[in-house]
Amino acid sequence: MKKHLILLGALVFVGVVSAQNDYTLVWNQDFTSTSLNQDAWNIEVNGNGGGNNELQYYCEKAVTLGVEPTTGKHCLILTATKEDYNGKKCTSGRVNSLDKTYFTYGKIEARIKFPNTANGLWPAFWMMGNNYSQVGWPRCGETDIIELGNSSGYNNRQDRYFNGAMHVGRAWNAVWSDAQATTWYYSVEDTFHIITCEWTPTSVKMYMDKDAHPEYAPYFEAKLEPNDDADYNRQLVFGKPNFIIFNLAIGGNFPNVHDINKVTALANGPRAMYVDWVRVYQRGDTGETFQSAVQSDPIEATPTTGTIPTELHSMPTKIIRDGRLYFLHHGTYYDVLGHHCSY
């Protein structure tokens, strides 16, 4: 058992969290402002194709903060549009936290609504080593937490087909890769899903909707093993700080679409990828690091969940159920993020 200081709005509790679920939130971005906090994030502007012959021009206007129309949630929005722009036939958005927010080990989660990808869209949530500017790719290491839109899914329920992957090596043509694809139990497009990556010194595991389906096995799992060749030493390369990337690519080698007129996903207008939030949790384990130029956002409240009241007339009762910590305060149950919940 480990003791953690848990911050919930204006309340501070010292909670005892089970060893099964002993992560503590260290950073949260809820994207509730009117513009992206560029002390934490970089907006990429280029038309270089991402090394994958992608079709889009990444531009600032394709990166916005706003409200997802169905749920009313405040989100980071990356919008793919078929249009002429700087010599390209389409635009889209990509953001990263290189040199601004980066960490080693822990659990990273994001709640994302992916667009319908068929055919030609390629949304992704991923990480690379924060030494990218010094050593380049693939020496920095790449962890693709989730990618959708691969051409292998065209005849295999495209809305359920996705993968996780890891890449490292000495040069672009000398890369070790581990990509594990799956056809999921249900559609993961056009509704929000929580994507989880658990990263330790010895392994990486990725989960879909682990909050709702803790019984499901990881869709990607890899051991981080040492190697005498430093460029392929996964324990070494993936034992360094990583930064976060969200992007919505159009076409390229992954979806195997190289003509904008064959990107059928944009036939009826622009499509968007919505990121409700991204969070980093850690356990205080040896080797963990975290660095950010900005503090964690407060957790966004919604009319249906609410938050713990700010007055403190009595300490809440701590309850552990199914390995999860809850608080009973003035007759209402809350989770560790301060949201009302059913117990």
Side-chain angles (χ1 to χ4, degrees):
M1 304 284 280
K2 293 185 179 180
K3 289 187 177 180
H4 294 291
L5 185 68
I6 300 176
L7 302 178
L8 300 177
L11 294 180
V12 179
F13 305 136
V14 176
V16 180
V17 186
S18 73
Q20 179 182 352
N21 189 32
D22 57 357
Y23 285 103
T24 298
L25 180 68
V26 297
W27 194 68
N28 172 63
Q29 289 280 284
D30 255 346
F31 305 115
T32 56
S33 302
T34 56
S35 60
L36 189 66
N37 188 337
Q38 295 191 45
D39 288 332
W41 301 95
N42 305 295
I43 298 175
E44 298 195 30
V45 177
N46 66 73
N48 61 25
N52 305 294
N53 297 309
E54 299 160 23
L55 301 177
Q56 77 286 324
Y57 196 99
Y58 284 129
C59 57
E60 289 190 69
K61 71 185 184 72
V63 178
T64 58
L65 298 192
V67 173
E68 193 279 320
T70 303
T71 63
K73 296 293 293 182
H74 293 89
C75 295
L76 164 67
I77 307 171
L78 307 179
T79 303
T81 304
K82 183 179 178 181
E83 61 178 338
D84 292 329
Y85 189 90
N86 279 6
K88 298 287 185 174
K89 297 295 183 181
C90 52
T91 59
S92 195
R94 172 165 158 162
V95 301
N96 71 66
S97 65
L98 175 66
D99 290 333
K100 294 182 177 179
T101 302
Y102 45 94
F103 61 97
T104 311
Y105 306 136
K107 178 172 71 172
I108 178 172
E109 289 189 322
R111 185 171 186 262
I112 306 172
K113 178 180 177 180
F114 297 105
N116 295 327
T117 59
N119 288 334
L121 292 188
W122 179 7
F125 164 38
W126 50 303
M127 303 186 295
M128 286 202 297
N130 200 61
N131 60 346
Y132 170 77
S133 300
Q134 290 75 49
V135 303
W137 184 92
R139 278 191 164 96
C140 66
E142 174 182 335
T143 302
D144 300 315
I145 301 174
I146 189 168
E147 300 177 281
L148 290 79
N150 187 271
S151 58
S152 297
Y154 290 168
N155 297 313
N156 193 25
R157 290 304 303 268
Q158 181 77 359
D159 62 328
R160 301 184 181 194
Y161 190 84
F162 59 90
N163 70 273
M166 300 184 76
H167 310 282
V168 68
R170 194 172 358 266
W172 68 268
N173 58 350
V175 179
W176 169 89
S177 295
D178 183 359
Q180 299 170 25
T182 184
T183 300
W184 203 238
Y185 304 91
Y186 47 80
S187 174
V188 298
E189 296 183 349
D190 213 28
T191 55
F192 278 103
H193 299 275
I194 294 178
I195 316 302
T196 301
C197 176
E198 295 179 355
W199 172 28
T200 75
T202 58
S203 70
V204 171
K205 298 178 182 179
M206 304 171 189
Y207 299 87
M208 171 67 66
D209 292 328
K210 190 176 183 182
D211 59 321
H213 296 287
E215 73 277 14
Y216 290 167
Y219 60 83
F220 177 97
E221 184 172 2
K223 292 182 179 179
L224 299 183
E225 299 175 334
N227 189 302
D228 291 338
D229 187 331
D231 288 331
Y232 297 91
N233 187 327
R234 285 173 269 167
Q235 203 168 78
L236 175 65
V237 174
F238 296 107
K240 297 178 181 179
N242 272 228
F243 66 95
I244 304 164
I245 308 164
F246 293 105
N247 72 283
L248 178 55
I250 305 172
N253 300 339
F254 189 78
N256 195 28
V257 177
H258 298 92
D259 180 345
I260 187 59
N261 295 315
K262 295 182 180 179
V263 179
T264 56
L266 297 179
N268 295 317
R271 300 298 309 231
M273 170 178 170
Y274 296 89
V275 182
D276 182 12
W277 47 255
V278 58
R279 295 170 185 163
V280 177
Y281 303 79
Q282 291 182 328
R283 301 185 295 195
D285 291 344
T286 300
E288 286 182 346
T289 68
F290 182 81
Q291 180 70 40
S292 181
V294 300
Q295 294 184 351
S296 180
D297 284 344
I299 301 297
E300 181 186 11
T302 66
T304 57
T305 59
T307 58
I308 290 181
T310 57
E311 71 273 16
L312 181 58
H313 300 304
S314 62
M315 287 301 293
T317 301
K318 296 183 290 291
I319 299 169
I320 294 177
R321 182 186 183 192
D322 297 329
R324 298 190 179 191
L325 178 66
Y326 299 89
F327 297 93
L328 174 62
H329 189 66
H330 294 308
T332 303
Y333 290 97
Y334 302 89
D335 63 19
V336 294
L337 299 180
H339 295 135
H340 294 175
C341 60
S342 298
Y343 177 66

